[in-house]
Amino acid sequence: PVRDPDTGALLGAVDLSGPLHTMHPALLALVTAGARLVEGELRWRLHASDDLFRERNAHYLGESGRGAALLSPSGRIVASASTAQFVPGQRVGLDDSGIVRLDNGEHAEVEPLEGGYLLRVPQRRRRPQLSLQLLGDGIPKATVDGVRHELSLRHAEILALLAMHPGGLNAERLALLLHGEHGNPTTVRVEIHRIRNVLGQDVVKPRPYRIAADLDSDLGALREALSRGDAEAALDHAGLLLPRSESTAIRAERDELLASLRGLALAARSPELLWRFANTDAGRDDLEVLEKARDLTAPDAPQRKVLEIRLRRLSEEEA
């Protein structure tokens, strides 16, 4: 048999036939040597073809980035970029789609060249960095890769809901959370389109709508601190969630966060933590918080006098 040195496929055979009485033990060695000579010639031609292919197309390896390789017509790797994780002789399964799946699970593009193919592994795109400021009375803000954008209340509500649902939401569910049963999915799609135009197509992705960036938000920091029972860290982010929002879902989340933070501050029985909570918008007029903070504060502490003044004012207002 004569086999293709590139693919190992059977190309043919060297055959020597004749009458049995002419058979000689040396004839088998002769036929085998003939087949090896043919394969040697094919191998030499293959190496010469590879060398010529590399020489003509080596510039593609530098231009195409970390994941580039030159392939023979059969899909054998002839050469690769110095940073590529390919081994010469390794094979890539080719089809007519122009896309191949590599052993590591990545997908690569295949572009035809004269005498073979160029394989390119697309550069991995760095995920954008998104920071959201959603707590407190200030204007909500989104910062994408260091560029700050002021948000309308509606856009802030949508981004808050997407941050609260990392798995994503469809337009119908978003409309329900924003406006209740009267929500219009078409309006939501328009607003999402505007958000993507401002923040970037890679920040919010469709189907379902979701935040695809690396997210850092004051809302997330507050929720995490509350889940840990860390009152001090939670009070670092003690602003109300979008206080002007009338969205049912946002109001429910805002009330739950406030109740959790208040309960954590009261349970801590720390005059410092209660004083900090008493100076938030939510705690300034909270009678129970003010009374407990006063009772735990030293009589000669200046904070105690402030607390007593507030309590007196609340008592007069109730009367």
Side-chain angles (χ1 to χ4, degrees), residues 177-197:
L177 293 174
L178 284 169
H179 308 292
E181 295 180 355
H182 301 292
N184 186 344
T186 301
T187 302
V188 169
R189 293 187 185 98
V190 171
E191 296 297 342
I192 289 281
H193 178 74
R194 290 172 178 164
I195 290 173
R196 298 184 74 205
N197 282 342

Side-chain angles (χ1 to χ4, degrees), residues 280-307:
T280 64
D281 291 338
R284 189 174 301 277
D285 296 326
D286 190 315
L287 186 61
E288 182 181 2
V289 169
L290 294 175
E291 288 179 341
K292 182 161 284 192
R294 177 200 61 191
D295 295 342
L296 293 173
T297 301
D300 57 345
Q303 294 93 329
R304 180 165 181 132
K305 192 165 189 66
V306 175
L307 292 167

Side-chain angles (χ1 to χ4, degrees), residues 21 71 92 94 97 100 143 153 160 170 190 202-203 212 237 251 260 267:
H21 69 271
L71 306 181
V92 174
L94 299 175
S97 68
V100 297
T143 302
L153 178 59
N170 59 30
V190 171
D202 291 333
V203 173
H237 306 279
R251 282 190 302 169
S260 298

Side-chain angles (χ1 to χ4, degrees), residues 91-107:
R91 293 195 175 278
V92 174
L94 299 175
D95 56 31
D96 295 331
S97 68
I99 302 292
V100 297
R101 183 180 176 87
L102 304 177
D103 293 341
N104 62 4
E106 287 187 290
H107 288 82

